[in-house]
Amino acid sequence: MAAVDFPSSQHFIDGEWVAARDGGTLDIVDPATQQVITKVARSGGADVDDAVAAARRAFPVWAATSPSERGALIRRWADLILADVEALAAVEAQDVGKPLSGGRTNIYIAHDIINYFAGAADKLTGVTLPTRSPDYLGYTVPEPYGVCAVVIPWNVPAVLTAANVAPALAAGNTVVLKPSEIAPLAPFAFAELARRAGFPPGVINVVAGGPEAGVALTSHPGVDHISFVGSTATGRAIMAAAAQNLVPVKLELGGKSPNVLFADADLDTAIEAVVASITENAGQNCYAGSRLLVQASVHDEVVERVAAAMAAVKTGPWEADLDMGPLVSAAQFARVSGFLEDAPREGARLVTGGAPTGDGWFVQPTVYDRVDAGMRIAREEVFGPVLAVQSFSDTAEATELMNATDFGLLACIWTNDVSRALRLAKDVRSGQVAVNQFHDAGVIGFPFNMQKDSGFSQGGGYGALREYTQEKGVAIRLLAR
């Protein structure tokens, strides 16, 4: 990755690559081989202090910079990312364990998000308000918060960096980004390209580290806004910490997304998408299609075809660029293995998969049938290539099953009946709905919305810029002269 190389055993603070204050480092491991790829600095509380202080110093000048200039600089950053897609794809793929083509897709998505907010930087406006007489003027001004803390997980680090850092910067904030200690390499590579693009020191800072760094950042009195992507349990803890400093929080948490398949759907298209939705990134996505709800009249056919397609999925290391890679870490492997042990004990029928495979943290693509809503595999986020199948008879039962979860991230409806699709889209408690596709392909600026325990965020969509601003209202009485 020579084109996007950055120093090992360091992190990025105040425009420079520096070692951790205590000299600590983290080993970054290839999930397919369990071998160390490189090292990064292990950031502690003192390093977080340095990063927040740098962002605080940089904020006044950055906020005062013309939005057009901010947008131009963000676009230069996007251009540098696009110029190094292949190198960045390899970084993302090896670090997370996904196939090279998956890493490439993530970099293209990240580029498009950053480019989108480059164009949006000078489109952020307030409103002029009506008044009771011509002697008054009222208007609003959107203003940046200040220092934004961004904490992201390991599953799609390039995309999540773009979706959170780009709108924050475009709105005039400065950022301290803490990627996961498991997969921080793409965010660090992005930071290096931001440095080359010409961002002033302190505008972007990236610190890696475990829970110590995350707690230090999200509880820091110098932080003005927190954006967190991760588990629901950790999201609750971050909200509690933010309450101590009265800091606004946006949370993008877990999911238990259903593909709802009616008998009149195009089964060929739907089954291909269902399999991809749970095997892409080895199922390690918050929106993964981990529940399959199938109309009873086609249940047996669909389960048989899905199982055959899952069994045909080829797994291997990132550079082999097959269909699916390993799970990201030993901890994630142990978590998914626990679900594989519990599901049959609770009465689910194993159709295919259900076991580790090969070297590294590989797990077979797995399908369980005869799952009921009370089973752990139906209620909890597995974050692995494990599909839970349930059957329904009619639209009313499908709606009940769709909503029988604490999460509300994405629901995918497969039917040729437009009225049914619109009715289900209205009745499902989910931040996003896709019809006859998985997720939002083809829609620019689609909001990554969520409801219930999935959190509250627009996740890089058309409204994300406003999530990083606070509105100031101005009322003026015009004096007679």
Side-chain angles (χ1 to χ4, degrees), residues 12-17 50-62 73 174-175 194-195 198-205:
F12 189 70
I13 297 176
D14 206 15
E16 296 183 354
W17 292 100
D50 290 343
V52 172
R56 176 65 58 202
R57 288 191 300 270
F59 171 66
V61 173
W62 181 247
L73 189 53
T174 54
V175 171
R195 184 191 68 80
F199 279 90
V203 171
I204 301 175
N205 307 271

Side-chain angles (χ1 to χ4, degrees), residues 106-295:
N106 288 169
I107 302 304
Y108 276 122
I109 292 171
H111 162 267
D112 289 352
I113 292 171
I114 294 172
N115 204 43
Y116 179 89
F117 287 109
D122 59 2
K123 314 294 188 300
L124 184 63
T125 61
V127 298
T128 303
L129 300 168
T131 58
R132 291 181 175 86
S133 84
D135 296 329
Y136 293 89
L137 174 66
Y139 61 92
T140 66
V141 181
E143 296 182 337
Y145 280 104
V147 177
C148 291
V150 176
V151 181
I152 62 171
W154 41 260
N155 56 332
V156 281
V159 172
L160 292 173
T161 295
N164 289 280
V165 173
L169 297 178
N173 301 280
T174 54
V175 171
V176 179
L177 169 66
K178 195 205 87 67
S180 168
E181 69 275 19
I182 295 174
L185 298 186
F188 276 135
F190 276 26
E192 171 59 19
L193 293 180
R195 184 191 68 80
R196 298 180 194 178
F199 279 90
V203 171
I204 301 175
N205 307 271
V206 185
V207 291
E212 178 189 356
V215 169
L217 181 58
T218 54
S219 63
H220 201 288
V223 164
D224 301 300
H225 181 279
I226 298 170
S227 177
F228 172 75
V229 184
S231 73
T232 300
T234 304
R236 288 192 173 100
I238 284 175
M239 279 199 73
Q244 301 304 308
N245 295 324
L246 294 178
V247 173
V249 181
K250 62 189 288 287
L251 300 176
E252 183 180 322
L253 307 176
K256 198 68 184 172
S257 301
N259 277 288
V260 186
L261 187 53
F262 286 86
D264 67 337
D266 179 341
L267 294 186
D268 292 340
T269 301
I271 288 169
E272 181 180 359
V274 166
V275 173
S277 76
I278 193 61
T279 57
E280 195 277 324
N281 203 24
Q284 298 170 119
N285 293 313
C286 57
Y287 59 82
S290 56
R291 293 191 295 150
L292 174 58
L293 314 181
V294 188
Q295 194 159 26

Side-chain angles (χ1 to χ4, degrees), residues 326-404:
L327 299 174
V328 75
S329 67
Q332 188 61 18
F333 180 80
R335 172 180 170 79
V336 173
S337 297
F339 279 94
L340 298 180
E341 293 168 4
D342 287 349
R345 283 203 298 258
E346 291 185 340
R349 181 178 74 90
L350 177 64
V351 182
T352 189
T357 179
D359 298 325
W361 295 305
F362 290 93
V363 170
Q364 294 174 335
T366 299
V367 178
Y368 286 105
D369 193 13
R370 299 176 188 167
V371 174
D372 66 53
M375 292 180 182
R376 185 176 174 229
I377 198 172
R379 293 182 291 104
E380 298 182 25
E381 187 175 38
V382 178
F383 233 58
V386 182
L387 182 63
V389 183
Q390 296 171 271
S391 179
F392 66 86
S393 58
D394 55 23
T395 301
E397 188 179 7
T399 303
E400 182 180 354
L401 288 175
M402 289 170 76
N403 288 328

